[in-house]
Amino acid sequence: MNKLTYTSILSLLILFVASCDVLNEEVVSDVTAETHFTTPSGFEDAVNGAYEPLRDFYGAEQGGNLTEYGTDLIQNAGHGGFHYMNQYNAGLNSEASPMSSIWDNYYIGINSANAAINRATELEGMEESLKNARLGEAHFLRAHYYFHLVEHFGAVHLTTEETIGVETEATRAPESEVYAQIVSDLETAINNLPAEQEWGRATEPAAKMLLSQVLLTRGYKDFGESSDYERAATLAESVVNDYNFQLMDDYEMIFDNDNEQNAEIIWAIQYGKDPLINGPGNRSHLYYRPWYEVYGGDGSGAGLVRSLEPGYGRPWIRFKMTPFALQNYRPIDQDSRYDKSFQDTWYYNDAASLPTDDYPNVAVGDTAIYIDPDMTAQEVADNQGSTPYYLLAWSTAHSNENINMFPSLTKHDDFQRPSVNEPAGNKDYIVYRLAEAYLFAAEARYQMGEISTAASHINAVRERAAWPGEEANLTANTEAMLQSEGIDFILDERGREFYGEQKRWITLKRTGKLLERVRNHAGLQESRDNIEEIHMLRPIPATQRNRTEGGYPQNPGY
C-alpha cells in the first residue's frame, strides 16, 4: 500500500540542516526555509507537512471529544478525563485541552499551507501539473482547517500569510470573512486538483465534498447566499455521478482492515505499520470498546481476557451509545447497520478462568456476555443468573447504568497491531465516503423544497443498508417521513450511517438542532440540564488569549 509520509516542516528543516552540518559545516547557514521551500523537494515537504495535523484530530481522542461527546448519540463511559465535554459542566472552559489541541494543531497546519502557497511563486524546476496539484492540496487543507476552527469557535484569526518569526498580535475576523476565504480556497483547489492521485492526497472530488459541506453549512447562517444549497447539491451530485466511486454492497466491508482502499472512500487520513512514520497512530479502536474483560459469565470477568482477535481488543471505555442511539437503529430486522456496526455478544476465550464452579458445563467459545435487543431492564434483572453469561438489555431509560458495558463499535476495530495493548493503530481514518455525498445532496435538496429528489438520494443509502429482501420495506416511506419529520429524519439517517465517524457535533450545530437534540436525547441528565446557547461555540483557548498582545476576546458565557 502506498502511504503518503507526513513530517512536520520544523522536523524536516532540523534533519536537513543536521545532514548538511555533517557534510559541510560551512554551508549550514545557507539552508533555510526561504531556500528549501522554493525547490521542488522543499515545496513537496511543505505540502506534506500541511497534512500532519490531521492526525491530531482524526482517530485521536481529542478529535472524538470535540465531535462525539455532547450529542444525542454518544455519552461518556466510565473512563477518561474529558467527561465535561459530554456533560457541558464547568470543566468545559478555556483551559480545557481539547480546545488548545485543535486550535494549536490546526493553526500549525494553516501556517504550513500558507508557506507552500506563498512560496509557490518562487518555485522553479517543477512540472506545472504537479505544482498545480500540490497547490490545490495546500488550498484544500487550509480550507479544511479554517472550516473546523470557525465552526467550533466562531470568529477566528484569519491569515493567509506565512508566520516566520514570533507574532503576538491576533484578531477575530467575522465568520462571513472566514467562510469567504474557505470557499475561495476550495474553488482554487477544485480547479487545480486531479480527479485521482496518490492515495491519501486531496483530490478534486474530495474538494467538492468539502465545498458541498461548507456551502450547506453556510446556507443555514444569516450570511448564507441564496445559491448555497443549489451549489452544495450540485457538487455532491457531481461526486456521485462524475467519478468512479461506488457504494459497497456490504456496509461492513467499508471498514474492513483488508479493504482500506475501497471504491466508496473519497478521502482518508493515512496511517501505517511503520512506527517511524505512524506518529501516535489511529487510536479509534480503543475508545468505543467496553470493559468486557471484567463482566464475563457471572459478572466478575471470569473466562474473558484481552486478545488481539476480532471481538476482543484493548478497551479504553470512552464513548458509549446513548439509549436513543440504540433505538435509532430499529427495526434491526430491516436495517443491517446495527448488526454490521456493533458487537453485542462476547464469548469465553480463557480456559484457565472459566466460571465452572457456577456453570460446570461452560467452555471456551460459549457466550460470556449478551446484550439482548428485546428484553427490558426488568426482564434482565429477573433472568440474571439463570444463564451462564452476563445479561444486559437495550435500555430506554436515560440513566447511566452499566456505564462500562455496552455494545462495542466495530468499524474502528484494528487487529493488525503488533500486540493487544499497542495503542497505535495503522488503519486509515475515513473522512469522506460516497454515502455522505448522497446525504449532503439530500439535505441540500430538502432545504430547497425538492422532497422527492432528496428522498431518492436517501434511498440510495437506505437500500444498501437493508437486509436482503428488505429493501422495499426500508425505502418505501422515505418521502413521507421527510415530509412529516423534516431535517430530523435526515439526522436520524446520518446517525445510523455515520455513527462514531467524528461528524455528529458539527452536523447538529449546522442544522441548528444541537440544543434540542441534546435536551431530548442525551444519555445523561447532566448533559440535558447543562447545555445552553453558549455551547453552540467552544471557548477560545487560554493559550491563545494569554499570548496575544492586548488580549484575545473570549466567546460569550465562558
Side-chain angles (χ1 to χ4, degrees):
M1 179 184 299
N2 291 327
K3 290 283 182 180
L4 171 63
T5 302
Y6 299 105
T7 46
S8 72
I9 292 176
L10 179 59
S11 298
L12 282 163
L13 286 176
I14 290 172
L15 290 170
F16 194 86
V17 172
S19 299
C20 290
D21 187 51
V22 172
L23 296 172
N24 187 342
E25 293 183 1
E26 295 181 357
V27 298
V28 169
S29 61
D30 291 339
V31 180
T32 65
E34 285 79 2
T35 58
H36 183 54
F37 292 160
T38 55
T39 66
S41 62
F43 182 67
E44 290 264 14
D45 290 340
V47 174
N48 289 353
Y51 280 90
E52 196 276 336
L54 296 168
R55 285 179 166 179
D56 294 302
F57 184 78
Y58 293 108
E61 184 172 5
Q62 299 294 31
N65 290 335
L66 286 159
T67 57
E68 303 292 7
Y69 273 158
T71 69
D72 53 347
L73 300 182
I74 289 177
Q75 66 185 68
N76 62 267
H79 292 200
F82 302 99
H83 294 181
Y84 55 81
M85 295 292 294
N86 178 61
Q87 298 172 20
Y88 293 102
N89 60 31
L92 179 52
N93 57 50
S94 63
E95 301 282 352
S97 57
M99 314 311 157
S100 58
S101 174
I102 186 174
W103 186 279
D104 293 347
N105 286 313
Y106 274 17
Y107 271 112
I108 290 172
I110 288 167
N111 199 50
S112 298
N114 287 345
I117 294 167
N118 295 167
R119 301 303 177 83
T121 57
E122 307 168 37
L123 181 62
E124 296 180 356
M126 185 176 235
E127 197 271 324
E128 193 69 14
S129 63
L130 179 60
K131 173 184 172 181
N132 288 338
R134 296 295 180 261
L135 264 177
E137 293 173 51
H139 282 280
F140 170 86
L141 291 168
R142 184 166 70 183
H144 172 280
Y145 294 135
Y146 271 127
F147 176 59
H148 282 258
L149 289 172
V150 74
E151 279 303 285
H152 281 281
F153 298 101
V156 294
H157 183 66
L158 176 63
T159 180
T160 58
E161 298 300 321
E162 177 189 1
T163 299
I164 298 175
V166 175
E167 290 190 10
T168 60
E169 295 181 359
T171 59
R172 299 190 67 174
E175 287 189 46
S176 58
E177 290 185 17
V178 181
Y179 262 86
Q181 181 61 52
I182 293 168
V183 171
S184 174
D185 271 333
L186 289 172
E187 289 171 342
T188 300
I190 290 169
N191 289 332
N192 281 272
L193 287 168
E196 299 179 6
Q197 60 173 339
E198 183 183 359
W199 182 261
R201 292 191 179 277
T203 60
E204 179 183 79
K208 286 183 176 181
M209 283 293 288
L210 180 52
L211 184 53
S212 177
Q213 183 180 13
V214 167
L215 293 171
L216 185 57
T217 305
R218 191 173 70 173
Y220 288 91
K221 298 179 182 290
D222 58 8
F223 57 82
E225 298 182 6
S226 59
S227 61
D228 281 347
Y229 290 135
E230 175 66 41
R231 291 183 68 195
T234 300
L235 286 160
E237 288 161 351
S238 173
V239 174
V240 170
N241 297 320
D242 298 339
Y243 302 91
N244 296 320
F245 303 111
Q246 296 178 342
L247 293 176
M248 298 294 292
D249 292 335
D250 185 344
Y251 180 83
E252 196 170 17
M253 289 304 294
I254 303 167
F255 311 100
D256 187 86
N257 246 138
D258 297 318
N259 194 38
E260 290 184 72
Q261 296 188 24
N262 63 68
E264 184 162 338
I265 297 174
I266 298 166
W267 184 49
I269 308 306
Q270 290 183 299
Y271 290 93
K273 294 182 179 180
D274 186 343
L276 293 178
I277 61 173
N278 199 37
N282 181 351
R283 300 189 174 204
S284 301
H285 63 92
L286 300 168
Y287 305 132
Y288 298 86
R289 194 176 302 281
W291 212 2
Y292 67 90
E293 59 192 335
V294 302
Y295 280 91
D298 55 3
S300 68
L304 276 174
V305 295
R306 294 182 184 183
S307 172
L308 191 62
E309 299 176 77
Y312 303 98
R314 178 179 178 177
W316 275 32
I317 320 149
R318 298 299 197 260
F319 302 136
K320 172 189 174 181
M321 296 185 79
T322 64
F324 169 76
L326 283 164
Q327 292 299 328
N328 190 42
Y329 282 97
R330 289 185 180 273
I332 59 174
D333 59 345
Q334 293 181 10
D335 195 320
S336 70
R337 284 173 294 191
Y338 173 76
D339 283 334
K340 293 183 177 183
S341 297
F342 296 95
Q343 173 185 352
D344 56 17
T345 305
W346 286 258
Y347 302 97
Y348 291 112
N349 68 339
D350 182 38
S353 63
L354 289 169
T356 50
D357 290 344
D358 294 325
Y359 310 108
N361 296 319
V362 75
V364 169
D366 291 344
T367 300
I369 303 171
Y370 177 51
I371 301 175
D372 193 295
D374 297 310
M375 294 182 76
T376 66
Q378 185 58 54
E379 288 172 331
V380 165
D382 293 342
N383 285 276
Q384 197 69 265
S386 64
T387 59
Y389 51 81
Y390 186 73
L391 187 64
L392 293 93
W394 280 34
S395 176
T396 56
H398 297 286
S399 68
N400 211 24
E401 297 173 7
N402 299 315
I403 192 170
N404 291 322
M405 193 62 224
F406 43 86
S408 181
L409 182 66
T410 58
K411 62 176 63 172
H412 296 307
D413 282 356
D414 184 346
F415 303 108
Q416 297 184 4
R417 293 167 289 123
S419 69
V420 66
N421 289 323
E422 171 56 56
N426 56 69
K427 192 175 182 179
D428 289 352
Y429 196 98
I430 301 169
V431 179
Y432 288 128
R433 53 188 179 87
L434 188 60
E436 192 159 30
Y438 279 107
L439 294 183
F440 279 163
E443 188 177 337
R445 292 297 176 192
Y446 168 78
Q447 293 296 341
M448 296 164 63
E450 299 178 9
I451 305 301
S452 179
T453 303
S456 68
H457 288 317
I458 294 171
N459 277 341
V461 177
R462 288 174 71 77
E463 185 173 1
R464 189 267 299 279
W467 289 111
E470 294 292 334
E471 293 86 354
N473 288 330
L474 203 58
T475 60
N477 298 318
T478 299
E479 189 168 344
M481 296 294 285
L482 261 180
Q483 291 278 13
S484 63
E485 298 185 14
I487 196 67
D488 286 301
F489 181 77
I490 295 175
L491 289 174
D492 289 348
E493 184 63 29
R494 287 185 62 91
R496 291 181 285 269
E497 183 69 22
F498 302 119
Y499 180 94
E501 295 183 44
Q502 292 192 198
K503 299 179 184 293
R504 194 60 173 180
W505 190 93
I506 207 167
T507 298
L508 294 181
K509 186 198 169 180
R510 173 177 77 239
T511 56
K513 288 284 188 173
L514 179 62
L515 273 67
E516 175 188 329
R517 283 271 174 154
V518 171
R519 286 169 178 166
N520 289 338
H521 300 306
L524 297 181
Q525 192 63 45
E526 293 91 331
S527 305
R528 296 174 165 221
D529 292 342
N530 291 340
I531 193 168
E532 300 177 22
E533 187 71 32
I534 66 167
H535 296 121
M536 294 290 285
L537 292 176
R538 309 297 197 179
I540 301 295
T543 51
Q544 178 63 44
R545 302 189 72 216
N546 293 338
R547 66 193 175 205
T548 304
E549 185 177 342
Y552 195 88
Q554 181 57 277
N555 282 327
Y558 292 105

